[in-house]
Amino acid sequence: MDSTSAPMDSVTDDLSKEISRMSCGSKEQKHQFGRTLVCVEYPAIVQNDDKMLQSLGGINKISKVYAERNRRLELRFRPDDVYCRPACADRQKVTGLLLSVKVRRKKSSGEVVNVTPTVVGKVNMAFKFTSLCDFQFLAMDKINGKMECIYDQLVPRGLLTPQWFQDPAPYFLPPATFSRMDTVQNYQYRQETVHNDTTVQPYHIGRTRRRRSGHAIFVTFSTATIPLKPRPSALKFLDIKFLGGTHLQVMKQHFAERPIWSKVALMCVTGYTSEQMKFLLPAVAYYFVTGPFRIMWVRIGYDPRKHPAARIYQSIDYRIRVQGGTQSYVKAKRSYTQYLLPYKSTPSSRPKTAILSQQAEEKPVEPDSGLSENHYIFRPGMIPPSRQMFYQLCDIKVPEIELMVERLPRIQPGVKCHERLGWLPAGFAEQCRDIINNLVVEQIKIVRENNSQPGTSEEFSEYLEEEQDNEDNEENDEEDWEDYDDS
């Protein structure tokens, strides 16, 4: 917390002069302008400080919330009830002072003789309860026609006995949260905009939720035709984002040299950020959802199902097998034990100020930190950064696998691409996984003997988790995607 900002100092100086003027004639007071405090606007009349702190989770809980940047302060009016839904306070920047005012009066008439204000500290941040509280659901059940509390049957008190685990318990399973939003929403009911783009599939109620694909074109293996040109909206957004010049030419050059890429591989080669790739990829490629080329971006106009030479670009889904010590050296993609309920953090959808200028195109974009070829290329002697990786066959730099690729038989005319195997023979992908897994296990043994942690298991693992989550979301969004029609 910055306690020496210029606006706060100017306000403090003005208030100190005013306080000094009010304190004339009294003893010199020691004002603590250098002391920084945090304000909590408690939405109730406080008569007991201990109960007030208990409803906020205690001083340790308040300190923990204050230490984390985007956490919200929770207030539970029934702190002893585990089913109580909290009211949440958001932190706001404020400018204020905490004063301690002593007023001297005459006992006979009550007339004010002297007023002595003292500055206890300055306040730069406050927690304000401006949001709505979630719906409350009490632990009660209807027994013999009368509502009775069943909380003691659900939450044990004191020392448990084996009989408590065998006794029947009532079915009381409320969700962790009833409402995802706790702020008043001003929703404008209006008719949906009709798009002229024929590639946008209609939304059918009850079938699946609307896609979040942006301007990308998603294609399944069963799709008869492939797109021959990108959507007009994808090209339009390149100009809006100042990416239609050098960035677009670089992407076209890479797809001319290699028709199929993964998003992570392109980010490693070009150094572009994930936000830039969101607009660049739909302008030059389409996304395969299923089949041997799934989660890969294919150059627009190129159909790998008709070119046997595209087998070197097929994706190999490699997952580290559960063995002793593996979990301590390779991180999982995601951890469900660290899940945070939506109401516990500050919403990321709050309005933000966006400034567009012509200088934005000239501003260099720093590549994502920790990005290296180890996140899409596998070589002997390395450990994957995650327990599940999608490698392209051409990016597996293992001599034994490269020799297997060279010895693959030539595809005979008339043979069609298999939906699961692609252009590879049966058992080829499984054999590649076995070879990779043996190399990884050997490397883990070496690292364990040297009593050191591998560098690749830590670097960029959080980014890979986020990117894989995005790809999984895109894949789940398109499980029921209809065939693309280029009419």
Side-chain angles (χ1 to χ4, degrees):
M1 181 179 299
D2 186 7
S3 60
T4 60
S5 58
M8 187 65 195
D9 290 342
S10 60
V11 174
T12 303
D13 294 340
D14 296 339
L15 289 177
S16 62
K17 294 179 181 179
E18 182 66 19
I19 293 172
S20 299
R21 185 187 62 83
M22 296 174 58
S23 303
C24 290
S26 61
K27 296 182 180 180
E28 183 180 356
Q29 303 295 327
K30 295 182 179 179
H31 303 298
Q32 304 182 39
F33 291 102
R35 184 183 181 187
T36 302
L37 303 175
V38 178
C39 174
V40 178
E41 294 188 357
Y42 196 80
I45 300 177
V46 179
Q47 296 179 351
N48 189 315
D49 296 342
D50 295 335
K51 291 185 177 180
M52 182 269 296
L53 289 175
Q54 184 184 3
S55 65
L56 294 175
I59 193 65
N60 294 333
K61 181 70 173 182
I62 299 175
S63 301
K64 183 178 179 180
V65 171
Y66 171 75
E68 298 187 19
R69 183 174 56 88
N70 63 335
R71 289 295 296 271
R72 309 174 77 188
L73 185 62
E74 300 178 11
L75 167 62
R76 301 179 185 272
F77 291 100
R78 305 188 311 277
D80 296 333
D81 187 358
V82 296
Y83 298 105
C84 177
R85 299 293 186 267
C88 298
D90 297 312
R91 65 179 68 195
Q92 300 179 10
K93 292 184 178 180
V94 296
T95 301
L97 295 174
L98 178 61
L99 300 179
S100 175
V101 182
K102 294 182 179 180
V103 181
R104 296 182 61 185
R105 302 175 183 270
K106 291 183 178 180
K107 295 183 178 181
S108 58
S109 60
E111 180 183 356
V112 177
V113 178
N114 188 18
V115 178
T116 306
T118 304
V119 177
V120 180
K122 59 183 179 181
V123 180
N124 292 339
M125 186 183 67
F127 287 93
K128 299 183 178 182
F129 292 88
T130 58
S131 303
L132 300 176
C133 188
D134 196 11
F135 298 97
Q136 305 293 323
F137 197 79
L138 301 179
M140 301 185 68
D141 193 11
K142 195 172 185 179
I143 302 176
N144 298 329
K146 184 179 179 180
M147 298 299 296
E148 296 184 4
C149 180
I150 58 174
Y151 186 82
D152 293 338
Q153 303 179 35
L154 301 171
V155 181
R157 297 178 182 272
L159 185 63
L160 298 180
T161 60
Q163 185 64 28
W164 186 87
F165 294 96
Q166 299 178 2
D167 293 340
Y171 294 101
F172 186 80
L173 301 173
T177 177
F178 289 100
S179 178
R180 292 186 60 86
M181 295 176 293
D182 56 4
T183 56
V184 179
Q185 304 292 323
N186 186 16
Y187 187 82
Q188 301 291 339
Y189 291 93
R190 58 185 181 276
Q191 189 175 3
E192 294 185 0
T193 306
V194 180
H195 296 276
N196 296 327
D197 192 354
T198 58
T199 62
V200 178
Q201 297 294 329
Y203 176 65
H204 302 285
I205 297 177
R207 181 166 178 247
T208 178
R209 64 177 174 82
R210 185 175 296 277
R211 298 182 299 111
R212 295 181 295 179
S213 59
H215 310 285
I217 300 176
F218 288 83
V219 175
T220 62
F221 186 84
S222 59
T223 301
T225 59
I226 61 170
L228 302 177
K229 58 182 180 180
R231 291 176 177 171
S233 57
L235 300 176
K236 179 181 178 181
F237 267 85
L238 288 181
D239 297 332
I240 297 177
K241 298 295 181 178
F242 306 105
L243 299 173
T246 306
H247 297 79
L248 181 60
Q249 295 301 324
V250 171
M251 294 293 293
K252 289 183 178 180
Q253 181 180 356
H254 284 293
F255 273 98
E257 299 173 355
R258 173 173 163 177
I260 304 176
W261 288 84
S262 65
K263 183 179 178 181
V264 175
L266 282 172
M267 293 179 64
C268 295
V269 173
T270 62
Y272 297 156
T273 62
S274 178
E275 185 68 20
Q276 291 175 323
M277 285 295 178
K278 185 193 304 182
F279 301 98
L280 287 170
L281 283 173
V284 294
Y286 63 93
Y287 187 84
F288 251 111
V289 179
T290 59
F293 302 96
R294 71 186 186 100
I295 75 166
M296 297 295 168
W297 291 88
V298 184
R299 184 181 65 209
I300 291 180
Y302 181 81
D303 191 353
R305 299 168 298 180
K306 298 180 180 179
H307 298 81
R311 60 186 175 185
I312 63 174
Y313 305 117
Q314 290 186 205
S315 59
I316 303 296
D317 182 4
Y318 168 68
R319 308 180 187 187
I320 297 181
R321 297 163 187 173
V322 179
Q323 295 181 359
T326 302
Q327 297 182 355
S328 61
Y329 290 92
V330 186
K331 286 187 175 182
K333 281 187 169 62
R334 58 191 66 85
S335 175
Y336 297 102
T337 59
Q338 299 178 357
Y339 175 74
L340 194 66
L341 292 173
Y343 67 83
K344 289 183 177 291
S345 60
T346 304
S348 59
S349 59
R350 293 186 179 276
K352 299 180 181 179
T353 304
I355 301 176
L356 294 178
S357 63
Q358 296 181 355
Q359 298 179 355
E361 185 178 8
E362 302 176 358
K363 183 179 179 180
V365 179
E366 297 181 357
D368 290 344
S369 60
L371 195 63
S372 65
E373 64 177 15
N374 291 337
H375 302 93
Y376 74 98
I377 296 180
F378 180 82
R379 291 185 173 89
M382 63 166 289
I383 299 178
S386 184
R387 298 177 191 172
Q388 181 182 13
M389 298 291 297
F390 286 91
Y391 292 113
Q392 289 183 266
L393 190 59
C394 61
D395 293 330
I396 303 177
K397 307 299 182 181
V398 178
E400 186 177 355
I401 296 180
E402 291 177 341
L403 183 60
M404 291 169 51
V405 175
E406 293 178 359
R407 294 180 177 179
L408 285 175
R410 180 176 298 180
I411 303 298
Q412 299 298 326
V415 177
K416 294 183 179 181
C417 183
H418 193 270
E419 182 176 1
R420 184 177 61 87
L421 303 176
W423 298 108
L424 299 176
F428 187 90
E430 289 76 6
Q431 190 175 357
C432 291
R433 296 190 190 100
D434 293 338
I435 296 174
I436 296 176
N437 190 76
N438 293 334
L439 294 174
V440 172
V441 172
E442 292 178 1
Q443 184 62 24
I444 290 178
K445 291 181 180 178
I446 296 175
V447 173
R448 187 184 305 166
E449 292 175 357
N450 296 334
N451 195 20
S452 61
Q453 294 290 338
T456 55
S457 64
E458 295 292 341
E459 68 174 1
F460 202 54
S461 60
E462 295 181 357
Y463 164 78
L464 193 65
E465 293 175 9
E466 179 181 355
E467 290 305 312
Q468 190 62 38
D469 286 340
N470 294 337
E471 291 178 351
D472 291 344
N473 291 335
E474 291 174 350
E475 180 181 347
N476 294 334
D477 291 343
E478 297 304 323
E479 287 181 352
D480 299 325
W481 177 252
E482 296 180 356
D483 290 350
Y484 172 82
D485 186 8
D486 194 40
S487 59

